[in-house]
């Protein structure tokens, strides 16, 4: 039978562990890629293309991107060489399989093994591929040229990486040595061979020789290498010395070379290696290794070698040739070494797979494989772009990115092992996790389920949904507020996303805003492209320490700033046109390979190489090969491309260093190369017919002249620090090149037919000559103006040509417009000199001269950017800013200013200047205002700077520039924007008058600018969102500096974004003040602005940017703005972001914005107290300690610190203490209900006053109080929390006495202290009542003041009403509790507070109580008023009804006085109160909760008492009791006979409901119901005792009484005392001596369990003594009856015999037991009470015992004496003496005075004898000697003892021997004489009789015969 198995439940018996380690998964995936590459590698050359792609995929896997595995690379990435391999096809070649190096059977399963084998086998694969190329090249007679060196270098780098991970592979060391030797590094080759022979374990084993072939081959190779190096010392030492006499056989030598197909070591250094002659001797060469295929890198390398050779530090010998090595370059236009038969489709598929293996091509691009195939095949850079995701230079020159250009797919962090299309390996090293197997099973079950591009895009959209939602709301809210004042620059978030993706081309261009926004979208795309293609060049631009607004680099007024600022001013002006150039940047692949090939084919010195480089860059022939050393016509890179700054600096240094050499070479080529003068026109060369001057060389001469002119102009700049010697040398060089250039063009102009030169070369020369003239010293300005005017006319006559010299800084453009600009510049020179020559003290002059011009420019610029200016063709017809027109009507200047006014010229000049020019002028104006300390205009200058930058992004100069140049300008301007934003925001936040100089129009313009800036900066947020979810690939950052710079840029952009939104808010707030009619609810709009910007930026983690400036602003604003709906949540989030404070009422609202918490300061703590109070009010104070609020409160208290008392506070403290210690005046109690009562105190003016006014100390005190009250206390504990609460509450009262809630909480603190003192023990109730009374007095006073101040100052809120109701309840409870035991009105006593009064009737000073004491009836009445007042506030509290009923009941039963009679309480009022209490009892939450029984019991008890007192009939009582559910099932009583059973039945129901047995009063009430009416009935007593013993008293008389939940503290101790007293009465009535004895012992041992324990003890002792006297029938005063006639001597004799009798073990007597119990009670009493009654019973009992026992003892003594007299021995010894008369006279008869001198028996002696009689004797020593028998005649003082006592000692000893044997103590007549041997025998006979039971047989018969004497004793024994 099959069973059902759930598919989603894993079986329990599966023993496989869940393993889901990302690193292990990456290793597993890398292992599969490695196996695939290894398999393709081993299948031979046919699969080398696929193997190359497989190796590329392997090294692009996640495991190689792990930070633990990344290492410093060797400068050559794998994909570069693999791309070279993919350009060659191996499909038609040999199909022989290739043996893979170290192919192991078992696959590696650890990371180090994979890395080692991956690098090792890839290096071997490179060499195998090279072997195949060499084989084919030799077959086709086409040597592989540069492939050998490049392949060897790349293989070497892989071998090095492998050896770094495992250095134990000896064969790999040999192969590395072979490749190193091939590349010419003997040092590395030697090191590798020595590593093979090195034995680190034991170097002494070297003498044994090589242990294997690897060591043998290595030793032989090392010996040959050392011979070549002539290192005889190393040859003479081990291990080479050991191999001196050992040679390899010729057979083994054939296998010694691991790569026999490669050239011999060092052959690559030969100049003819490219021709295939590898064995020819090498000539001295200087090898220059170029790391990158760029002209910049090449020029820098050549310059370094040239500099080193001049200093004698070159790497080559003098005269050595130069050989240049490009590791990653290939010759352009080279012939194919072989042909491929593979179709184009297959080739393209291979490349796409190689790219897809690296996850760099999106699925959309794979679909266009066929269309892209030609470009991929013909352009290696295209293939490199597809592999690396880096666009080529040609594509970067486009206007912007395409639609899908920025959409890239990131490689998955966790990919399955089949993601690359590979099969599972048989042994992967570990068992895959259940999750992976489950995922694969799902895929197998759903083979058609493939993740499409649409689904992937949907997943990205879902991940971005959160950010999109926030952005939509933020843009919507902010844009709606800005549109109210006409600012529409922000737009919607969707528009910004479309601008980023380039999908907004179809926007309505008719709309002016759309047109402006579209122009601004260009900079957005440039910004996004710069982020996506971040590299070292962009990092250098961004990190370069230069500022566009600080060309002078000096402070205002400094000496360097005057001239330097002026020169830099014009310098920036001259580069304007260069910034607008559309020429592409000179890249690396532009003919550099051909140039290197030409150099390597020749034998050239380093100077010749440098000249060839200059000629190549300055002469032309960019893409055409040279023919016999003669350049072809064509534009040079100087004219065609834009040089990188580093390249230009390199060219300039080469020109300066090789000036003489270059000059000579140029002269030689111009004037001596006459062989090429004919027939060259067909090739585009223009020759002079007479001199044969080559026009190409003429162009080069002009170019060099222009560059020297640029150099001289830069070093003669006033800000230049170049020394005069350098300036003079450069001046000489410039003049020399000017002369030769003049000669060249003079010769050319002689043969020219045109009068006016129109060719560009001539125009360049004329412009350069003119500018050269301006650099001449002491030249007049008029002459310069004349020259430029003529030049302007010349250019106009030539057709207004525009010649761009983008690589020249002093003459970037040659045109009529540029000439006009120069004229304008020179004309306005005086004006600028006035501005820049002003000293610091003339800042006002700068303001007066510069501000009108800049202000007019700013206003004109703002008008030009308006929608009207954007669409008006008249405004843009000159393609310039309309305000830049020369005429004043196009400017904001007054019309009265003439056209030739300097200000007009200045305005005109600024219109044609650059943004950096205007920025610098605004900076000068700002510094001037800073000098005069006028912050409003400083703030305005910063805003205008931001406006200038944002307008620059929309200018034609920016839009028409190339992509590279736009991105460069953008990165530079970011720094300017950051500085302006930072300073403007600082002023806006900290300077109240910042907006004083900003009118509404300027404010609108500034808000438009900031909105555009915020929109631009938000592009980075969108870009980072795409990176965060994996939708976009991060930029490829090859070096650490580029990574650091990108991180720096990212942080800067986050800071700027937060500053922009913050500044926008400040301006929006100012707008709401200036335009109040436009904003109906400004507070709501500002709050919405803050909320949504905070949310949008916070979820991205931007809130911490810019030192949390936005969050800090939001905090201060929220504290002042009107509280909105979500104000609390926003404020809580802000405080969490700033300080990590969790103040959320709902913790689910918390969002982690990634802000590191800052320590909170005191100012902030004081500010947020109000907010904290609002949040805390939403939480129950009992639960507050369990929330995060407690931590926040503790932190704030630490910051606020303790308060140092001031004199005012000390005064208030004294007043408070005096008030709390004063008496309670009854009048004050009733006055407080009317609001009368106040303590006057001195106002406190301290730092803590504000904190106290906010209720902080009240909160701390209440929190500590709530903490104490919320603890579940099962035993007494510390009250530190109460002390802390009292401290804070009193501190609050010291600041202000009118805080009613503080008084109330302080009263609760004192109540808790009272409860804690009396809850666990009655010790203080019994011994230290003064302290409890003081606490009660403090509490009552606090309640009085709380009531009075609440009536005066409390508000009418619901929460306050509830608190007041609780206060009235607590106050009433305190009054009632103080009036009842155990406190018993002691707090209202005034006896200890008497004070002096002055008599009004002449009686003088007298001492009296200060006022009347409060009576108990008055206390109950006042408490009832309080409970009634509480019921008005809170009618649903059952306790108020319950306590009101109790007060009314006490008042009803009170013994009324005359005054009280008028206010008697009716019965129905009492009953109604209890009934209302029952009705308001809350229902039970669950079955485990104990029921509330107090109102039910009290109703039953009260009704019973009323029926018992005949105030109610039983029927009425039954009707009333129907209100309690516990009486409804009981038959109602109708008469008195059935009433008692009825009540007992109800009490039984109540006791049944009390499952926890807390309510002891129910049991006590039942006992009283049974007993009270039949107190004399023994049955009633037994019934009452039965009730008590059911629960309250256990069988061992242990008292079980606990405090119920709703009972007053200390009341249960009163109940225990009452219960014990009543129970003792029952036991006394029942004569239950045993129970009473046990109870006595219990009560004595637990003094702290009973209220007034001493009284309870006294009562129970009296009862116990009474019971003992009754049971023992001991009459009172029996002592005098017995011992009054007995003298002391007689008592001494017989008391000893009585003591012996009492201590005899067999003695049993009830009277003796009574005596023992009484003596034990005395010992137990231990003087707790006076022992008079105990002593009376002791002596009376002893007297009775003496009376009972002593006569019997005397009789026995007389009988024994008579028997001894009548014995035969006695008769014989006396011999008739008995017949003789007795002449002795009794003392009493002979001497009458003797009777008077007889000493009587004292009471103390009786007590002592009684106690000695019942006390056990001390134990005898271990060795006991029996004394000698004592005869009767030996008794001392025989004459004083009557004859009736003779023989009593022997008789007693016999009785004792019969009862106890040897344990009987010796007789009092025992002597201390030494014992004889006979006595020892007698002792043995006496102590150990044979029949001990027969010793006193006769005596026993006599005792049985004496029935009359022992009748009383027998009766007592029977009774016992």
């Amino acid at each position: 039978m099959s069973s059902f198995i759930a598919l989603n439940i894993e079986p329990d018996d599966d023993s496989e562990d869940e393993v889901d380690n990302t690193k292990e998964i990456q290793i597993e995936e890398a292992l599969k890629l490695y196996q695939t590459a290894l398999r393709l590698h081993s299948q031979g050359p046919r699969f080398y293309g696929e193997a190359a792609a497989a190796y590329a995929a392997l090294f692009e896997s996640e495991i190689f991107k792990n930070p633990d595995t990344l290492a410093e690379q060797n400068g050559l990435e794998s994909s570069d060489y693999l791309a070279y391999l993919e350009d060659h096809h191996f499909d038609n070649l040999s199909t022989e399989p290739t043996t893979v190096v170290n192919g192991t059977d078992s696959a590696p399963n650890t990371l180090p093994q994979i890395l080692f084998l991956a690098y090792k086998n890839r290096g071997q694969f490179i060499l195998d591929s090279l072997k195949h190329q060499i084989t084919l090249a030799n077959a086709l007679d086409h040597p592989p040229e540069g492939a050998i060196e490049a392949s060897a270098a790349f293989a070497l780098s892989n071998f090095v990486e492998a050896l770094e991970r495992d250095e134990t592979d000896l064969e790999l060391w040999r192969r590395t040595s072979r490749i190193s030797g091939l590349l010419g590094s003997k040092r590395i080759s030697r090191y590798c061979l020595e590593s093979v022979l090195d034995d680190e374990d034991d170097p002494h084993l070297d003498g044994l020789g090589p242990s294997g072939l690897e060591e043998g081959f290595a030793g032989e190779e090392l010996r040959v290498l050392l011979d070549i190096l002539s290192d005889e010392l190393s040859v003479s030492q081990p291990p080479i010395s050991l191999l001196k006499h050992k040679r390899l056989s010729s057979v083994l030598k054939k296998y010694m070379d691991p790569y026999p197909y490669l050239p011999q070591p060092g052959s690559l250094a030969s100049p003819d290696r490219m021709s295939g002659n590898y064995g020819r001797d090498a000539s001295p060469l200087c090898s220059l290794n170029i790391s990158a295929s760029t002209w910049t890198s090449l020029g820098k390398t050549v310059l370094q070698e040239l500099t080193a050779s001049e200093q004698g530090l070159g790497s080559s010998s003098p005269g050595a040739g130069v050989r240049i090595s490009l590791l990653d370059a290939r010759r352009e236009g080279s012939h194919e070494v072989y042909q491929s038969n593979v179709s184009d489709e297959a080739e393209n598929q291979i490349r796409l797979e190689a790219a897809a293996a690296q996850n760099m091509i999106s699925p959309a691009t794979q679909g266009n494989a066929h269309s892209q195939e030609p470009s991929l095949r013909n352009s290696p850079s295209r293939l490199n772009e597809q592999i690396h995701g880096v666009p080529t230079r040609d594509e970067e020159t486009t206007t912007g990115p395409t639609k899908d250009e920025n959409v890239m797919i990131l490689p998955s962090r966790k990919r399955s092992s089949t993601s690359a299309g590979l099969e599972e390996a048989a042994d992967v090293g570990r068992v895959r996790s259940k999750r992976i197997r489950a995922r694969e099973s799902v895929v197998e079950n759903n083979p058609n389920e493939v993740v499409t591009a649409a689904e992937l895009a949907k997943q990205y959209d879902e991940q971005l949904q959160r950010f999109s939602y926030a952005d939509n709301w933020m843009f919507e809210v902010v844009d709606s507020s800005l549109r109210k004042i006409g600012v529409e620059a922000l737009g919607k978030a969707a528009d910004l996303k479309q601008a980023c993706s380039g999908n907004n081309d179809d926007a309505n261009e008719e709309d002016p805003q759309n047109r402006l926004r579209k122009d601004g979208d260009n900079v957005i795309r440039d910004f996004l492209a710069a982020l996506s293609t971040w590299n070292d060049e962009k990092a250098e631009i961004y990190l370069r320490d230069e500022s566009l607004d600080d060309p002078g680099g000096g402070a205002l007024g400094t000496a360097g700033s005057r001239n330097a600022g002026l020169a830099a001013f014009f310098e920036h002006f001259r580069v304007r046109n260069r910034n607008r150039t559309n020429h592409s940047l000179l890249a690396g692949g532009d003919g550099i390979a051909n140039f290197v090939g030409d150099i390597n084919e020749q034998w050239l010195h380093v100077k010749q190489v440098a000249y060839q480089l200059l000629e190549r860059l300055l002469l032309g022939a960019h893409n055409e090969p040279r023919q016999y050393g003669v350049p072809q016509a064509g534009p040079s890179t100087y004219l065609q491309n834009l040089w990188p700054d580093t390249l230009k600096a390199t060219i300039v240094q080469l020109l300066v260093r090789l000036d003489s050499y270059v000059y000579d070479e140029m002269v030689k080529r111009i004037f001596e190369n006459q062989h090429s003068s004919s027939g060259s026109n067909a090739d585009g060369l223009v020759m002079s017919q007479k001199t044969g001057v080559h026009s190409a060389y003429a162009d080069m001469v002009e170019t060099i002249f222009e560059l020297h002119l640029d150099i001289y102009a830069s070093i003669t700049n006033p800000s230049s620090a170049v020394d005069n010697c350098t300036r003079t040398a450069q001046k000489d060089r410039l003049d020399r090149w000017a002369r030769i250039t003049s000669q060249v063009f003079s010769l050319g102009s002689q043969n020219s037919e045109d009068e006016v030169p129109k060719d560009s070369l001539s125009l360049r020369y004329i412009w350069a000559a003119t500018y050269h003239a301006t650099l001449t010293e002491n030249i007049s300005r008029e002459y310069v103006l004349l020259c430029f005017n003529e030049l302007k006319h010349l250019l106009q006559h030539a057709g207004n040509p525009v010649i761009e010299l983008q690589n020249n800084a002093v003459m970037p453009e040659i045109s009529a417009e540029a000439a006009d600009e120069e004229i304008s510049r020179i004309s306005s020179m005086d004006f600028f000199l006035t501005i820049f020559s002003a000293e610091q003290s003339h800042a006002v002059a700068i303001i007066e001269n510069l501000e009108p011009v800049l202000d007019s420019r700013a206003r004109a610029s703002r008008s030009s950017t308006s929608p009207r200016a954007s669409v008006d063709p008249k405004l843009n017809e000159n393609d310039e800013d309309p305000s830049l027109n020369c005429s004043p009507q196009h400017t904001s200047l007054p019309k009265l200013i003439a056209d030739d006014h300097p200000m007009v010229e200045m305005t005109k000049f600024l219109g044609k200047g650059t943004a950096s020019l205007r920025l610098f002028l605004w900076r000068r104006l700002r510094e001037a205002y800073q000098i005069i300390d006028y912050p409003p205009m400083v703030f305005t200058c910063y805003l205008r700077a931001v406006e200038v930058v944002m307008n620059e992004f929309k200018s034609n100069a920016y839009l028409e520039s190339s992509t590279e140049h736009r991105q460069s300008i953008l990165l530079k301007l970011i720094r300017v924007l950051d500085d302006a934003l930072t300073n403007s925001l600082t002023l806006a936040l900290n300077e109240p008058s910042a907006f004083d100089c900003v009118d509404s129009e300027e404010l609108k313009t500034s808000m438009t600018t900031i909105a555009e800036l915020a929109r631009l900066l938000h592009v980075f947020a969108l870009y980072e969102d795409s990176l965060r979810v994996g939708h976009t690939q991060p930029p490829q950052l090859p070096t650490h500096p580029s990574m650091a710079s990108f991180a720096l840029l990212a942080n800067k952009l986050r800071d700027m974004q937060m500053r922009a939104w913050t500044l926008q808010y400040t301006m929006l707030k100012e707008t709401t003040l200036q335009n109040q009619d436009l904003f109906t609810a400004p507070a709501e709009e500002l709050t919405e602005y803050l909320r949504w910007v905070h949310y949008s930026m916070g979820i991205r983690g931007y809130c911490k940017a810019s030192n949390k400036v936005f969050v800090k602003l939001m905090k201060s604003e929220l504290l002042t703005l009107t509280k909105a709906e979500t104000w609390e949540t926003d404020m809580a989030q802000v405080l969490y972001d700033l300080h990590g404070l969790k103040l959320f009422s709902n913790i689910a609202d918390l969002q982690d914005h990634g802000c590191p918490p800052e320590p909170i300061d005191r100012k902030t703590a004081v500010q947020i107290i109000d907010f904290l109070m609002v949040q805390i009010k939403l939480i129950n104070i009992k639960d507050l300690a369990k929330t995060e609020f407690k931590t926040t409160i503790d932190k704030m208290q630490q910051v606020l610190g303790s308060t140092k008392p001031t004199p005012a506070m000390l005064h208030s403290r004294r007043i408070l203490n005096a008030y709390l210690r004063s008496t309670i005046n009854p009048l004050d109690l009733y006055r407080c209900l009317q609001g009368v009562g106040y303590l006057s105190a001195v106002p406190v003016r301290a730092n803590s006053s504000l904190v106290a006014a906010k209720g902080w100390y009240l909160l701390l005190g209440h929190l500590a109080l709530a903490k104490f009250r919320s603890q579940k206390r099962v035993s007494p504990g510390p009250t530190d929390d109460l002390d802390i609460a009292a401290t804070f509450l009193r501190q609050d009262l010291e600041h202000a006495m009118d805080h009613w809630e503080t008084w109330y909480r302080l009263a609760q603190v004192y109540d808790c202290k009272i409860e804690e003192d009396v809850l666990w023990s009655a010790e203080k109730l019994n011994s230290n009542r003064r302290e409890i009374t003081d606490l009660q007095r403090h509490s009552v006073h606090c309640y009085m003041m709380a009531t009075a101040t609440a009536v005066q100052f409390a508000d009418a809120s619901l929460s306050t009403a509830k608190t007041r109701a609780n206060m009235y309840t607590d106050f009433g409870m305190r009054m009632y509790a103080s009036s009842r035991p155990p406190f018993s009105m002691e707090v209202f006593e005034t006896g200890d507070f008497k004070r002096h009064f002055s008599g009004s009737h002449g009686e003088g000073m007298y001492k009296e109580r200060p006022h009347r004491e409060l009576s108990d009836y008055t206390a109950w009445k006042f408490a009832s008023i309080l409970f009634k007042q509480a019921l008005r506030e809170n009618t649903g509290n059952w306790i108020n009804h319950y306590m009101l009923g109790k007060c009314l009941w006490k008042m009803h039963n009170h013994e009324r006085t005359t005054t009280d009679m008028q206010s008697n309480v009716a019965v129905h009022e009492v009953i109604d109160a209890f009934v209302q209490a029952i009705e308001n009892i809350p229902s039970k939450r669950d079955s485990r909760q104990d029921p509330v029984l107090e109102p039910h019991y009290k109703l039953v008890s009260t009704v019973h008492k009323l029926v018992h007192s005949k105030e109610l009939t039983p029927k009425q009582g039954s009707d009333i009791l129907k209100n309690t559910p516990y009486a409804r099932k009981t038959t109602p009583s109708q008469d008195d006979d059935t009433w008692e059973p009825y009540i007992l039945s109800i009490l039984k129901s109540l006791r049944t409901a009390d499952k926890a047995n807390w309510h002891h009063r129910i049991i006590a009430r039942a006992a009283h119901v049974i007993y009270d009416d039949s107190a004399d009935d023994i049955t009633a007593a037994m019934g009452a005792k039965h009730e008590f013993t059911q629960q309250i008293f256990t069988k061992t008389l242990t008292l079980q009484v606990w405090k119920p939940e709703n009972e007053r503290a200390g009341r249960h101790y009163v109940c225990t005392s009452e219960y014990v007293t009543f129970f003792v009465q029952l036991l006394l009535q029942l004569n239950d001596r045993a129970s009473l004895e046990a109870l006595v012992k219990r009560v004595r041992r637990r003094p702290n369990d009973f209220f007034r324990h001493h009284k309870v003890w006294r009562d129970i002792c009296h009862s116990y003594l009474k019971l003992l006297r009754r049971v023992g029938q001991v009459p009172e005063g029996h002592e005098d009856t017995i011992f009054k006639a007995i003298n002391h001597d007689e008592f001494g004799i017989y008391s000893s015999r009585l003591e012996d009798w009492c201590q005899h073990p067999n003695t049993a007597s009830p009277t003796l037991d009574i005596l023992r119990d009484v003596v034990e009670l005395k010992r137990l009493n231990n003087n707790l009470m006076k022992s008079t009654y105990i002593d009376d019973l002791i002596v009376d009992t002893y007297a009775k015992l003496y009376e009972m026992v002593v006569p019997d003892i005397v009789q026995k003594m007389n009988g024994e004496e008579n028997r001894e007299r009548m014995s035969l021995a006695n008769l014989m010894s006396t011999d008739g003496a008995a017949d003789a008369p007795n002449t002795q006279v009794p003392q009493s008869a002979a001497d009458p005075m003797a009777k008077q001198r007889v000493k009587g028996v004292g009471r103390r002696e009786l007590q002592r004898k009684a106690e000695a009689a019942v006390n056990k004797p001390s134990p005898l020593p271990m060795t006991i000697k029996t004394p000698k028998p004592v005869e009767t005649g030996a008794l001392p003082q025989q004459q004083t003892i009557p004859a009736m006592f003779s023989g009593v000692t022997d008789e007693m000893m016999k009785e004792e021997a019969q009862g106890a044997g040897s344990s009987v103590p010796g007789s009092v007549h025992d002597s201390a004489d030494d014992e004889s041997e006979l006595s020892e025998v007698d002792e043995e006979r006496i102590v150990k009789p044979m029949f001990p039971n027969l010793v006193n047989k006769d005596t026993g018969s006599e005792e049985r015969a004496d029935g009359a004497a022992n009748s009383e004793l027998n009766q007592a024994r029977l009774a016992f």
Side-chain angles (χ1 to χ4, degrees), residues 567-600:
F569 179 83
F570 292 115
E571 186 72 17
H572 278 269
F573 164 76
R574 285 191 291 268
V575 300
R576 179 181 67 87
N577 289 325
R578 185 191 180 194
N579 294 339
R580 295 193 307 179
T581 181
N582 292 324
H583 297 282
S584 61
L585 193 67
L586 183 60
D590 300 334
I592 189 171
N594 291 330
F595 175 77
V596 171
D598 294 339
I599 296 299
N600 290 336

Side-chain angles (χ1 to χ4, degrees), residues 1158-1309:
E1158 298 178 356
I1160 187 173
D1161 56 348
R1162 193 179 191 279
K1163 179 180 178 181
T1164 304
V1166 174
Q1167 289 178 346
I1168 66 176
I1169 287 178
D1170 293 334
F1171 171 71
L1172 180 61
M1173 294 298 182
V1174 173
Q1175 295 296 91
I1176 289 177
K1177 289 181 180 179
L1178 303 176
I1179 304 175
N1180 191 342
I1181 193 67
K1182 296 179 181 179
D1183 302 329
L1184 187 61
K1186 304 175 184 177
T1187 63
E1188 296 291 342
F1189 286 91
K1190 182 61 171 61
T1191 305
T1192 301
I1193 293 173
D1194 293 340
K1195 290 182 180 179
M1196 292 180 60
Q1197 178 58 24
Q1198 291 178 1
V1199 174
L1200 296 174
S1202 59
T1203 303
K1204 184 178 180 180
T1206 62
M1209 294 174 61
L1210 294 176
H1211 177 71
S1212 300
R1213 184 179 301 176
R1214 288 192 294 269
I1215 294 175
L1216 178 62
N1217 293 333
Y1219 172 71
L1220 294 178
R1221 289 193 295 264
S1222 63
T1223 60
I1224 300 174
N1225 194 332
L1227 294 178
D1228 293 338
L1229 286 173
Y1230 286 95
R1231 286 173 183 170
C1232 72
L1233 296 176
Q1234 301 174 358
V1236 178
Y1238 185 76
L1239 295 180
S1240 60
V1242 179
V1244 177
R1245 294 179 177 87
N1247 294 332
S1248 58
S1249 300
L1250 182 59
V1251 178
K1254 293 177 179 292
W1256 179 251
Y1257 299 119
L1258 170 60
L1259 172 63
L1260 296 177
H1262 193 191
L1263 184 60
L1265 173 62
K1267 178 182 177 183
F1268 178 84
R1269 299 177 67 179
S1270 62
Q1271 293 175 355
K1272 185 178 181 181
R1273 307 175 69 84
V1274 295
S1275 61
T1279 58
D1280 297 340
D1281 292 331
L1282 293 178
D1283 296 335
I1284 295 173
T1287 301
F1288 283 118
L1289 294 173
R1290 290 170 66 98
Q1291 190 172 355
D1292 185 65
L1293 292 176
E1294 290 170 2
H1295 288 83
M1297 297 288 187
D1298 56 351
H1299 293 169
W1300 70 271
E1301 189 175 357
T1302 306
W1303 285 107
Y1304 171 43
R1305 301 306 175 188
L1306 184 59
Q1308 287 184 320
V1309 170

